[in-house]
Amino acid sequence: MKEKIASYLAEIAAFTAADATAAEEFRIRFLGRKGLLQDLFLDLKAAPADEKRELGKLMNDLKNAAEEKTAILKTQFEQTQESGSTIDLSLPAFPVQLGARHPLSIVRRQIIEIFARIGYQVAEGAEIEDDFHNFSALNFPEDHPARDMQDTFFVQNNPDILLRTHTSTVQVRVMESAKPPIRILAPGRVYRNEAISARANCFFHQVEGLYIDEGVSFADLKQTLLLFAREMFSADTQIRLRPSYFPFTEPSAEMDISCNICSGKGCNVCKYTGWVEILGCGMVDPAVLKNCDIDPEKYSGFAFGMGIERITMLKYKVNDLRIFFDNDVRFLRQFTGA
Ligand code: DAH
């Protein structure tokens, strides 16, 4: 038995395998369930008691040698397989670029968050609308220039279907289906047939606000918008309401804030006036309430609409609106926010 073990040890030491199959055959020959070592262990059992100790030790050596050789052969063929392929698993991984929120999304969420604190809920409407919800219900006269092909993208061959030009459509949608008190905020994309420039694009984003209840006054409007301006820009921001005209509000106003870039001292953003316009607003015209089946004798309300691009440009001091739509990550990576 000793000779057998010695010859197996020599065989193991000398063994080389040409390929993975030969290595596996080696393993089975020595270590398999019906392998040579199993046979020897049976012999060991039958061996005379005084030889068992020595033979046992030799068997152990043999087993270790067979296992070691098997392990070596295994790594040898794994390595040859790998070096045959172009994948180097030891290379460091590519860094994963984490995305960031788009600045327009950051500002939209901020606007929603500010108004949510005073009870406004988000409402949504479709981007493809009909003339009634975009114009007629909002009191636009039949011959109003905003209906003109110059400003509005109509769906081909159907002057009744269009891409909404403002989020005021959602005012109508909500008032048609809900009863006052109504307090909603409607963020969304709008479309206008405009030449693309640093200040205008053929689509952009607005947030509409609407508050309808009994006894809502212009003072409520003013205080709400003051709160918004101070939360959005800074606690010392001033607001100014200038009389204006929108078909769906009466009276109507445009709201300016004290220029946050030069703090009112005068710069080219505020054209040296110290004020920048950020939104349109007004008391909802009784005719609009009537169009939506809300009794103007009982209820009143205010509405406002602002461009998210404009607010974002002022907040982050961006001077060209087109950059928001270029998707250049060098620009987009600079913004952090929830
Ligand atoms: N819809 C107007 C626009 O796109 C903005 C606007 C002005 C909305 C006054 C309003 C408002 O709700 O009251 O220019």
Side-chain angles (χ1 to χ4, degrees), residues 14-264:
F15 184 83
T16 54
D19 53 23
T21 321
E24 175 65 357
E25 275 166 11
F26 170 87
R27 185 189 68 78
I28 293 169
R29 179 168 142 77
F30 283 96
L31 298 168
R33 270 205 296 134
K34 292 180 182 157
L36 294 172
L37 266 100
Q38 283 304 318
D39 290 344
L40 280 176
F41 276 119
L42 289 178
D43 291 350
L44 179 64
K45 264 192 193 161
D50 57 341
E51 287 179 26
K52 268 192 179 162
R53 208 179 135 82
E54 193 192 353
L55 284 173
K57 194 183 159 304
L58 286 172
M59 283 294 299
N60 245 345
D61 293 346
L62 181 64
K63 188 167 172 257
N64 288 342
E67 282 176 352
E68 242 168 67
K69 190 76 180 197
T70 307
I72 290 168
L73 291 172
K74 197 170 166 230
T75 51
Q76 183 190 334
F77 288 110
E78 272 174 2
Q79 272 167 12
T80 7
Q81 254 173 19
E82 269 167 30
S83 58
S85 86
T86 50
I87 301 168
D88 182 351
L89 296 177
S90 66
L91 282 177
F94 286 113
V96 176
Q97 298 277 0
L98 283 185
R101 256 184 229 292
H102 194 283
L104 295 178
S105 299
I106 295 174
V107 170
R108 184 194 60 221
R109 287 160 70 103
Q110 255 169 19
I111 297 170
I112 293 172
E113 198 268 323
I114 293 168
F115 283 100
R117 274 189 260 147
I118 50 172
Y120 283 73
Q121 289 188 337
V122 170
E124 281 182 353
E127 292 179 17
I128 301 173
E129 265 294 5
D130 52 30
D131 178 280
F132 178 76
H133 291 90
N134 199 82
F135 293 127
S136 298
L138 289 163
N139 219 21
F140 279 79
E142 235 8 270
D143 54 357
H144 195 284
R147 296 184 182 219
D148 201 291
M149 294 295 271
Q150 300 299 311
D151 299 307
T152 307
F153 288 116
F154 290 94
V155 170
Q156 220 171 12
N157 303 332
N158 189 346
D160 192 46
I161 307 294
L162 46 87
L163 296 180
R164 68 178 177 192
T165 60
H166 53 186
T167 45
S168 304
T169 52
V170 187
Q171 288 189 34
V172 181
R173 292 272 170 200
V174 170
M175 285 192 284
E176 278 175 340
S177 59
K179 290 285 146 244
I182 293 170
R183 217 177 301 169
I184 57 108
L185 209 59
R189 185 175 283 200
V190 301
Y191 300 83
R192 288 192 199 168
N193 193 358
E194 295 206 28
I196 296 170
S197 72
R199 320 193 103 242
N201 197 23
C202 52
F203 66 84
F204 56 100
H205 301 83
Q206 289 188 328
V207 177
E208 192 82 11
L210 177 70
Y211 177 27
I212 311 278
D213 203 350
E214 288 179 42
V216 177
S217 73
F218 202 94
D220 297 321
L221 167 63
K222 192 176 166 191
Q223 205 56 32
T224 302
L225 294 180
L226 177 64
L227 171 93
F228 165 70
R230 294 195 164 165
E231 292 292 314
M232 192 71 212
F233 293 97
S234 62
D236 56 357
T237 301
Q238 303 293 315
I239 63 166
R240 178 172 87 168
L241 289 162
R242 281 179 291 102
S244 185
Y245 172 76
F246 300 102
F248 39 92
T249 44
E250 183 58 38
S252 303
E254 275 165 320
M255 186 174 96
D256 300 340
I257 57 164
S258 48
C259 181
N260 71 316
I261 293 179
C262 62
S263 315

